[in-house]
Amino acid sequence: MDKIERLTSMIKESGEIVFFGGAGVSTESGIPDFRSSGGVFSKNSSRVSAEDILHIRYFKKHPAEFYRFYRERLVHRNAVPNAAHKKLAELERLGKVVSIVTQNIDGLHTAAGSQNVYEIHGSIHNNYCTICLEKFGLDFICGNNDIPKCKCGGTVRPNVTLYGENLDGDVLEQSIVCIEKADMMIVAGTSLQVYPAAGLLDYFKGSHLVLINKSETFMDGTADLIIREPVGEVMRQINI
């Protein structure tokens, strides 16, 4: 039995599946990851590092520079769901209990039709005024040439987790509940180097742990199946 057949068999026999995804899930949609040779961090031409620009401290002190970088490097309005996003939504439509815990902020899982999506780092599509908390869509952020402002005068910011900020406690708790209940966990497109997100794997006690990632991770030694191929290419071949 080859690896795709094994993965398909595991999915068929599993009642509740958690898909834990990172930046590698969306690269096939044309969205760069962060740490590869062509990633967000490596391509930054500014004298200030990408990590510093994406820190809450920098956002507060230099919002114009933050938004210039944010719109150029993190917002990809033309990106569409790839085979991985579509297959997960298809599995859900077929009656599988599939929960998605994603580190990505692009909203592509929801765009593909998945219902149980937990965006632990937030979403570019959700934005709010830092004073009155009024909510705004992505069009409002992209339609401003400088700093997006609410009618009350407050700065409108993305509801995404910046460096120096804590993750949303409610989303984390919901993610933990899903992971604890799952009998299968697919970890895909992530190096598992970002905490506390990577620590969520500690809550999985199910039967099948699958890793789909081009490079090694610290969980390789405990995985039941490891596939070193692009996530979309792998998921496209699943036939339930």
Side-chain angles (χ1 to χ4, degrees):
M1 182 182 295
D2 68 15
K3 290 187 175 183
I4 298 299
E5 289 175 333
R6 286 184 63 195
L7 175 58
T8 302
S9 178
M10 290 177 179
I11 292 174
K12 285 182 176 179
E13 68 183 46
S14 297
E16 296 199 24
I17 301 168
V18 166
F19 182 91
F20 181 90
V25 177
S26 292
T27 52
E28 290 163 270
S29 293
I31 299 177
D33 61 13
F34 286 85
R35 292 176 173 79
S36 71
S37 59
V40 172
F41 290 170
S42 65
K43 282 188 173 182
N44 181 30
S45 59
S46 171
R47 291 178 298 175
V48 183
S49 71
E51 292 95 327
D52 286 339
I53 294 175
L54 295 175
H55 197 285
I56 183 59
R57 179 176 56 244
Y58 194 89
F59 170 79
K60 291 179 177 178
K61 290 184 177 180
H62 309 285
E65 289 83 356
F66 168 88
Y67 269 110
R68 194 154 36 244
F69 181 89
Y70 178 80
R71 294 185 183 109
E72 177 184 345
R73 305 309 308 277
L74 296 186
V75 175
H76 302 272
R77 302 190 73 185
N78 296 323
V80 297
N82 61 49
H85 304 104
K86 293 176 182 177
K87 180 60 67 173
L88 290 164
E90 177 187 330
L91 290 175
E92 189 176 314
R93 289 195 299 271
L94 291 173
K96 284 290 180 182
V97 178
V98 181
S99 298
I100 297 167
V101 179
T102 178
Q103 300 176 77
N104 297 336
I105 61 174
D106 51 50
L108 292 182
H109 284 294
T110 300
S114 290
Q115 300 296 313
N116 303 317
V117 181
Y118 302 96
E119 298 167 314
I120 57 177
H121 291 152
S123 170
I124 61 172
H125 299 282
N126 300 325
N127 306 275
Y128 65 93
C129 173
T130 53
I131 293 179
C132 73
L133 304 182
E134 182 175 348
K135 297 179 180 180
F136 297 84
L138 184 58
D139 287 344
F140 185 84
I141 296 295
C142 294
N144 284 265
N145 295 324
D146 195 8
I147 305 170
K149 291 286 187 178
C150 175
K151 59 187 177 184
C152 78
T155 298
V156 176
R157 63 156 289 177
N159 191 14
V160 300
T161 304
L162 303 177
Y163 286 103
E165 294 186 304
N166 294 324
L167 301 184
D168 185 297
D170 290 338
V171 177
L172 270 182
E173 184 60 34
Q174 293 166 346
S175 300
I176 290 171
V177 169
C178 292
I179 293 171
E180 288 179 328
K181 291 168 55 180
D183 45 17
M184 179 177 186
M185 187 170 191
I186 303 173
V187 180
T190 173
S191 61
L192 296 177
Q193 295 180 14
V194 177
Y195 282 83
L200 291 175
L201 273 67
D202 294 338
Y203 293 94
F204 178 66
K205 309 299 179 186
S207 303
H208 303 304
L209 176 62
V210 177
L211 300 182
I212 307 173
N213 199 54
K214 292 182 179 180
S215 59
E216 295 182 358
T217 75
F218 76 91
M219 291 294 292
D220 284 12
T222 60
D224 299 290
L225 176 63
I226 300 174
I227 303 178
R228 302 275 188 229
E229 301 294 337
V231 184
E233 287 298 316
V234 173
M235 297 301 291
R236 179 183 287 112
Q237 299 177 66
I238 303 301
N239 186 16
I240 302 300

